[in-house]
Amino acid sequence: MSLAPYVPILGLFALAALFALFSVAVAPFVGPRRFNKAKLDAYECGIEPTPQPVGGGRFPVKFYLTAMLFIVFDIEIIFLYPWAVNFDALGLFGFVEMVLFIVTVFVAFAYVWRRGGLDWD
């Protein structure tokens, strides 16, 4: 078993690693050096940052829930695309299975909507 087919991939990884290391090493020497107070402040989407406790502040759970909802509905699209491409080949069985899948996701969507998971208060 020869590893010759993997040599281009390893070369690409080596080239990417060298580029990353070179970029990080050269950036301090060639980058701009115009520092001011506005650039050094933390950016909070235009909102003035509030002081945080010493151990770090609590992060609202709503952000995690929104991220999880995005992942759930994003995965739905990932499953819908191959089904749409092979719709003719799957026949009635594939259609019924996808309808069940969409109904399940819609029930989850309705539940989240009813519970206020999509409201930005």
Side-chain angles (χ1 to χ4, degrees):
M1 182 160 147
S2 174
L3 296 178
Y6 297 105
V7 171
I9 295 172
L10 292 175
L12 185 61
F13 282 140
L15 184 65
L18 286 173
F19 178 74
L21 290 173
F22 175 76
S23 298
V24 170
V26 172
F29 302 112
V30 297
R33 291 185 181 83
R34 294 180 301 257
F35 298 106
N36 61 27
K37 186 177 182 325
K39 287 184 179 179
L40 297 176
D41 280 346
Y43 180 69
E44 295 281 339
C45 299
I47 301 170
E48 289 294 324
T50 57
Q52 295 292 327
V54 176
R58 293 182 60 142
F59 203 76
V61 176
K62 186 139 185 111
F63 293 109
Y64 295 113
L65 293 176
T66 303
M68 289 184 342
L69 286 174
F70 172 76
I71 290 170
V72 166
F73 293 116
D74 193 41
I75 289 173
E76 175 192 7
I77 297 301
I78 291 171
F79 283 126
L80 281 174
Y81 184 73
W83 171 76
V85 170
N86 288 329
F87 179 72
D88 293 334
L90 295 174
L92 183 63
F93 177 75
F95 178 72
V96 171
E97 291 297 319
M98 191 50 65
V99 166
L100 291 174
F101 175 71
I102 291 172
V103 166
T104 305
V105 172
F106 182 74
V107 167
F109 177 71
Y111 174 77
V112 168
W113 191 353
R114 185 159 171 88
R115 298 278 303 199
L118 302 175
D119 294 334
W120 283 97
D121 293 345

